[in-house]
Amino acid sequence: FLLSLKLEKKAKGKLQKQICQVVLDHFEKQYTAELGDAWSSVRDVLTSPWCWQHAVLLNRFSQSPGLESSLAEQGYHPAFPAALPYLPAAFRCYTRTAPGRFPAQKHQPGRLKEYYLLNAASLLPVLALEVKDGEDVLDLCAAPGGKSVAILQCACPGHFHCNEYDDLRSRWLEQTIESFIPDPFINLITVSKLDGRQIGDLQPEFYDKVLVDAPCSNDRSWLFSADPQQAVLRLMQRKELSSLQFQLLRSAVQALRPGGSLVYSTCTLSRAENSDVINLMLSSCRNVMPVDISGLARGVSQEFTFLSGMQQHELLVLPEIGRAWGPMYVAKLKKVSSS
């Protein structure tokens, strides 16, 4: 016990030193204004990686007989209640309130992994998307591939297009798919390295469902930027992100068939990259309407803490001690007619 206490103190000290003050100061100013009283408890979680939690998403294509009982013994429980508006039987994810991480599995060519470790909040965009068998699906900014893997735990798309513009991240995406998806399903998947802003023009009205998990100012990782100069540069470029996000969203709407729906998500708390982008889309695009996802939020309120006062078509997961999931912003839109 004393040893674990020492190790924890050592870890705390080590991680504490790595917090990038320039980023924390920037967040302090912005998020105090945007989140009010909620910011102090969110800040406590974001600056304390030893209290972060990891969920275990089981891979339906590679099941290990003793895995679920092993998870139960370690205090894990099913993360999502059966009463959700959309929860396919094959979609199984386990969480626990204690921090810590289930052991990761190494990539082995030719062998499928049994589970994927991730932040449980990052599964909410997938559940909001409600993919059904046979639908044509686009994951516009797909790397590292966790949400792509999660979509395939839910349904068997007619065609599944996973796109990642960045070369290095695209290779990471390919490896993730290879690690989790067996051969017959791999044939349904196209991995591309296109500029997501152009896919709408290249494939207009081609998809039933589109996920836009947009590049964003990743609050968790930015707080631990090892290079202060890079952090300053990131903060300066932050203002340009919302323009990129809007262009990706517009492209996604073009790529949707009338009647199709899209989910937009980020892992930042920033209003400029979340609600403001969605509001601009709704005000500038006549053939798009918001979709109510409050049922999903209510259904998972035991597991996640949400910012109050959001619109019915959006939610924002706030990290909290014991529920250290998020940040994760999710919004859902539907295309009602051709452009």
Side-chain angles (χ1 to χ4, degrees), residues 218-237:
N218 184 324
D219 295 351
R220 282 186 190 243
S221 67
W222 281 27
L223 270 170
F224 294 89
S225 305
D227 180 354
Q229 282 162 316
Q230 187 200 32
V232 170
L233 191 64
R234 272 177 170 172
L235 291 170
M236 284 165 63
Q237 293 170 336

Side-chain angles (χ1 to χ4, degrees), residues 19 38-53 119 219-220 223-224 318-327:
I19 289 173
W39 166 240
S40 62
S41 58
V42 170
R43 181 189 56 214
D44 288 347
V45 171
L46 293 183
T47 55
S48 312
W50 58 89
C51 79
W52 295 1
Q53 296 159 270
N119 186 312
D219 295 351
R220 282 186 190 243
L223 270 170
F224 294 89
L318 299 179
E320 192 179 86
I321 299 286
R323 299 170 159 201
W325 315 115

Side-chain angles (χ1 to χ4, degrees), residues 107-239:
H107 173 71
Q108 293 177 290
R111 187 171 174 183
L112 295 181
K113 292 185 181 182
E114 292 158 1
Y115 54 86
Y116 191 100
L117 299 178
L118 75 180
N119 186 312
S122 64
L123 294 170
L124 295 176
V126 173
L127 294 176
L129 195 60
E130 301 190 16
V131 174
K132 295 177 179 65
D133 288 348
E135 289 183 325
D136 295 318
V137 181
L138 168 63
D139 188 349
L140 193 69
C141 315
K147 292 181 181 69
S148 300
V149 166
I151 285 169
L152 289 165
Q153 303 307 312
C154 294
C156 174
H159 175 66
F160 190 21
H161 181 177
C162 300
N163 181 67
E164 178 54 54
Y165 185 48
D166 182 89
D167 198 47
L168 192 68
R169 285 172 62 82
S170 181
R171 287 204 291 276
W172 190 4
L173 169 67
E174 284 177 346
Q175 190 181 83
T176 301
I177 289 169
E178 186 189 312
S179 293
F180 285 91
I181 311 304
D183 279 347
F185 273 77
I186 293 252
N187 301 335
L188 303 173
I189 303 169
T190 303
V191 177
S192 66
K193 289 191 276 194
L194 300 166
D195 182 335
R197 293 170 292 188
Q198 293 168 359
I199 286 181
D201 286 329
L202 295 169
Q203 297 180 307
E205 304 198 343
F206 192 83
Y207 298 98
D208 301 296
K209 301 279 165 72
V210 180
L211 175 63
V212 185
D213 186 44
C216 66
S217 46
N218 184 324
D219 295 351
R220 282 186 190 243
S221 67
W222 281 27
L223 270 170
F224 294 89
S225 305
D227 180 354
Q229 282 162 316
Q230 187 200 32
V232 170
L233 191 64
R234 272 177 170 172
L235 291 170
M236 284 165 63
Q237 293 170 336
R238 194 179 197 200
K239 297 180 187 73

